[in-house]
C-alpha cells in the first residue's frame, strides 16, 4: 500500500510517499513559493539501496492545485517516477494543525470533518486554511483514495483541566474555546512509541519528558503514556524560545508595545511570531550558525543560547515536579537530535538535584539511530530519538484505512 503524506502551508506543499508494506520512503520533496513567478519544486527519489537522487525544478506554480498536480506528474514520471499513475496511491494523510477539542484521534475525512476543520480556523488562522485547501485539492485529484486528517493537537487532548485552563474569565473557555491545546503532537507521540519499543515496555508504564527542539520547539510531560502538560498553548507561540517565536513572555508586553511604540496588533503579532526568539536576540534563527558564532566569541549568540537552554531546563524541572517519577528524557527534532551543546547545557546542573546527567562522550556521537546519552550515575535515561512526523502520519493513515476496510 502506498500512502502520500502532505503538509500544505500558505505558499508551500511538503510531501513524502511511503511504501507501507516495507515502511520505505520512496520519494519526498516540496513545492515552494506557490503563486510567485519563481516557484521551486524539489523531488527526491530514494532507491532500494537508499541512494538518493535529488532534482530541483524552477517553474511557475500558479496555485496549490497546480502544485499538487506537478508533484503527481513527478511521482508518475516515466523515467524517474515511483508510481505507474495516481491510482497507485491508496491513501493521503494530511497534517492538520488544529483539531481543537473535537478531534482526539486521526479521522477519515468526509464533508462533516471538512466543516469541523473550517470551524477551527479562528484558533489557527495561519495554518488551518491552507491545510483545508490541501485536503480539498487532494480530494479533487484523488477522488478514489482515502483521505485522513492527522491533527497536531490530538495527542495533547489528555491534558487535564488544571493544566489546559488559563486563569482568565471562564466564559472565554466555554464560549470561545480559549485554552491550551499544544502542538507537535505527532512528533511527541512518535518518540514516546519509539522509547517504549526500545526499552521493551508498554508506554502506559512510562513517565517521560519529550523535548522537540526544531525551528519550532515544544516539550511535553507524559504520565503513563499520556500527555499531561505541554509548553505550547492556544497557539504555537507559547512556551520554549524558538527560532523566531518568543515563547513565554509577560502578557503585558503587547500593551506596552502598543502604548509606547504605537505598534498595531498585526505588527505585535508579527514581532512575537517572526522577529523574536533566537532571531530576536542575535539576528538569526539558524542554530548551527548561532553555535559557530558563539564558539567564535560572539556575545549575543552566547546570550541567545543561554536563554534558549535555560528555558528548556526550567521546564524539565517543572515537568519532573508534575510527573513525580521520571523514566526518561527524550531529545528530538533538528536541534534536539543534532546539537550536543544544546542538550548538555539544557541538562547542566541537574545531576545532584534530580539525578539527570549526560555522558559528554556519548552525547558527542552523531547518527540517525536511537541512542542513550546519560552518564553511568544518572538515575534517568536520557535519549536522542529521531522523530519522523511524516512516517507517523502515514502509519496513522494506514490504521484508519485498515480499520475502515475491516468494517
Ligand atoms: P527542524 O525545524 O526540526 O528542521 O530544525 C531546524 C533547526 O535545527 C535549525 O535551527 C537548524 O540550525 C538546527 N540544526 C540542524 N542541524 C543542526 C546541527 N548539526 N547542530 C545544531 N543545530 C542544527
Amino acid at each position: 500500500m502506498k500512502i502520500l503524506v502532505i503538509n500544505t502551508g500558505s505558499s508551500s506543499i511538503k510531501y513524502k510517499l511511503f511504501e507501507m508494506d516495507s515502511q520505505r520512503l520512496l520519494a519526498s520533496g516540496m513545492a515552494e513559493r506557490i503563486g510567485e513567478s519563481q516557484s521551486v519544486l524539489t523531488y527526491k527519489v530514494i532507491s532500494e539501496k537508499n541512494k538518493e537522487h535529488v532534482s530541483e525544478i524552477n517553474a511557475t506554480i500558479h496555485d496549490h492545485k497546480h502544485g499538487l498536480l506537478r508533484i503527481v506528474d513527478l511521482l508518475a514520471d516515466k523515467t524517474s517516477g515511483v508510481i505507474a499513475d495516481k491510482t497507485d496511491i491508496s491513501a493521503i494523510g494530511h497534517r492538520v494543525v488544529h483539531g481543537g477539542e473535537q478531534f482526539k484521534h486521526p479521522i477519515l475525512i468526509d464533508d462533516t470533518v471538512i466543516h469541523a476543520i473550517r470551524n477551527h480556523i479562528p484558533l489557527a488562522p495561519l495554518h488551518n486554511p491552507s491545510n483545508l485547501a490541501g485536503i480539498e485539492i487532494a480530494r479533487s485529484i484523488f477522488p478514489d483514495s482515502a483521505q485522513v486528517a492527522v491533527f497536531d493537537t490530538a495527542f495533547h487532548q489528555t491534558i487535564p483541566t488544571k493544566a489546559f485552563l488559563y486563569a482568565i474569565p471562564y466564559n472565554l473557555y466555554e464560549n470561545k474555546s480559549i485554552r491550551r491545546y499544544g502542538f507537535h503532537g505527532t512528533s511527541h507521540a512518535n518518540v514516546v512509541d519509539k522509547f517504549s519499543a526500545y526499552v521493551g515496555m508498554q508506554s502506559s508504564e512510562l513517565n517521560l519528558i519529550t523535548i522537540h527542539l526544531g525551528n519550532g520547539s515544544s516539550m511535553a510531560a507524559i504520565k503513563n503514556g499520556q500527555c499531561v502538560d505541554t509548553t505550547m498553548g492556544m497557539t504555537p507561540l507559547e512556551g520554549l524560545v524558538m527560532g523566531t517565536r518568543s515563547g513565554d513572555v509577560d502578557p503585558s508586553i503587547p500593551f506596552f508595545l502598543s502604548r509606547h511604540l504605537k505598534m498595531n496588533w498585526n505588527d505585535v503579532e508579527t514581532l512575537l511570531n517572526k522577529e523574536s526568539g533566537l532571531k530576536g536576540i542575535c539576528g538569526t534563527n539558524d542554530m548551527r550558525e548561532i553555535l559557530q558564532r558563539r564558539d567564535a566569541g560572539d556575545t549575543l549568540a552566547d546570550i541567545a543560547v543561554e536563554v534558549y537552554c535555560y528555558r528548556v531546563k526550567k521546564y524539565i524541572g517543572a515537568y519532573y515536579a508534575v510527573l513525580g517519577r521520571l523514566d526518561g528524557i527524550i531529545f528530538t527534532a533538528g536541534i534536539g537530535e543534532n546539537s550536543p551543546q544544546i542538550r548538555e547545557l539544557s541538562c547542566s546542573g541537574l545531576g545532584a538535584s534530580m539525578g539527570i546527567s549526560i555522558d559528554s562522550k556519548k552525547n558527542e556521537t552523531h547518527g540517525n539511530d536511537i541512542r542513550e546519552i546519560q552518564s553511568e550515575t544518572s538515575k534517568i535515561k536520557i535519549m536522542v530519538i529521531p522523530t519522523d512526523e511524516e512516517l507517523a502520519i502515514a502509519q496513522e493513515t494506514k490504521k484508519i484505512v485498515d480499520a475502515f476496510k475491516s468494517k
Side-chain angles (χ1 to χ4, degrees), residues 2-6 13-19 24-31 41-46 53 55 57 66-92 138 141-142 145:
K2 291 189 178 65
I3 292 183
L4 180 66
V5 173
I6 62 175
I13 306 172
K14 281 190 205 154
Y15 66 95
K16 281 190 180 177
L17 180 70
F18 295 94
E19 174 51 72
R24 205 165 74 75
L25 177 64
L26 301 176
S28 67
M30 182 154 158
L41 188 57
T42 47
Y43 177 58
K44 181 157 92 176
V45 196
I46 300 99
H53 176 76
S55 32
I57 301 152
H66 188 206
L68 191 52
L69 283 169
R70 293 286 316 261
I71 290 167
V72 175
D73 284 347
L74 283 172
L75 293 171
D77 186 81
K78 289 268 176 303
T79 47
S80 60
V82 287
I83 54 172
D85 60 49
K86 66 180 184 179
T87 61
D88 252 7
I89 296 175
S90 308
I92 325 277
I141 297 177
F142 300 94
S145 308

Side-chain angles (χ1 to χ4, degrees), residues 212-216 278 285-289 291 333-336 338-342 366:
H212 175 114
L213 303 180
N215 206 21
L278 295 168
N285 58 328
D286 184 335
M287 186 56 93
R288 271 168 299 203
E289 187 186 328
L291 290 168
I335 299 169
N338 295 304
S339 174
Q341 296 102 307
I342 297 297
H366 290 275

